[in-house]
Amino acid sequence: MAVPRYVRFRSPTPNARGVQVGVFALANGLEHVGAFTPEESERWRRANAWFEAAYPEPTSTEPRVYDRTANPGAVAWFRRTAVELIEMTTLYAELLDAHRVPWERVETDDPGRVIYEDAVQVIAVPHSDRAGAAASHR
């Protein structure tokens, strides 16, 4: 059996808009409400800075990629070949685990209608009938 080409780390539960937000948004939410200790906030800030420097921000070249009308439910997926980025996501998972926020790792060959791609990721509008194979963490 072939290894799926794309990986996503997300909430196992859809939000009010029906989107299973990614671990970055989940961690950002914890920081926003002041849930992190000072040490966790510093780790979160350092990790965000690393990610911002390490890979392209899709909205810098495609400003409407996450537009809710044009691309409802659009989400980012790492390419399996983006090993360093996938490994760095562990920090966000650890922060979520420390605060008992569930998350899951999802893998697929078909993330949906791809609307943006670069060397390390794709942004896709998911198919309504498929979500990929998931492994949840709590």
Side-chain angles (χ1 to χ4, degrees), residues 9-10 16 19 27 47 56 65 111 128:
F9 300 87
R10 68 182 187 192
V19 175
V65 74
S128 59

Side-chain angles (χ1 to χ4, degrees), residues 48-99:
N48 280 353
W50 185 90
F51 270 95
E52 288 170 8
Y55 75 96
E57 170 54 51
T59 58
S60 66
T61 57
E62 298 289 335
R64 296 190 62 215
V65 74
Y66 289 115
D67 182 282
R68 293 179 188 170
T69 302
N71 301 307
V75 294
W77 293 78
F78 288 125
R79 294 181 186 274
R80 176 160 301 282
T81 54
V83 175
E84 187 176 29
L85 296 175
I86 292 168
E87 289 174 355
M88 280 295 292
T89 305
T90 301
L91 171 103
Y92 295 86
E94 290 169 353
L95 290 170
L96 296 174
D97 287 346
H99 292 270

Side-chain angles (χ1 to χ4, degrees), residues 10-134:
R10 68 182 187 192
S11 169
T13 308
N15 65 12
R17 292 189 333 269
V19 175
Q20 290 171 275
V21 298
V23 295
F24 302 114
L26 291 171
N28 291 350
L30 289 174
E31 171 65 16
H32 181 72
V33 298
F36 289 156
T37 66
E39 295 78 19
E40 289 171 330
S41 288
E42 180 57 28
R43 288 177 63 208
W44 171 81
R45 277 191 288 280
R46 279 196 316 263
N48 280 353
W50 185 90
F51 270 95
E52 288 170 8
Y55 75 96
E57 170 54 51
T59 58
S60 66
T61 57
E62 298 289 335
R64 296 190 62 215
V65 74
Y66 289 115
D67 182 282
R68 293 179 188 170
T69 302
N71 301 307
V75 294
W77 293 78
F78 288 125
R79 294 181 186 274
R80 176 160 301 282
T81 54
V83 175
E84 187 176 29
L85 296 175
I86 292 168
E87 289 174 355
M88 280 295 292
T89 305
T90 301
L91 171 103
Y92 295 86
E94 290 169 353
L95 290 170
L96 296 174
D97 287 346
H99 292 270
R100 300 189 189 299
V101 175
W103 60 276
E104 65 185 7
R105 176 185 171 129
V106 184
E107 300 178 352
T108 189
D109 276 327
D110 184 6
R113 179 175 54 89
V114 174
I115 55 175
Y116 169 88
E117 60 184 305
D118 60 39
V120 296
Q121 65 187 328
V122 299
I123 310 296
V125 175
H127 300 296
S128 59
D129 62 340
R130 287 192 301 251

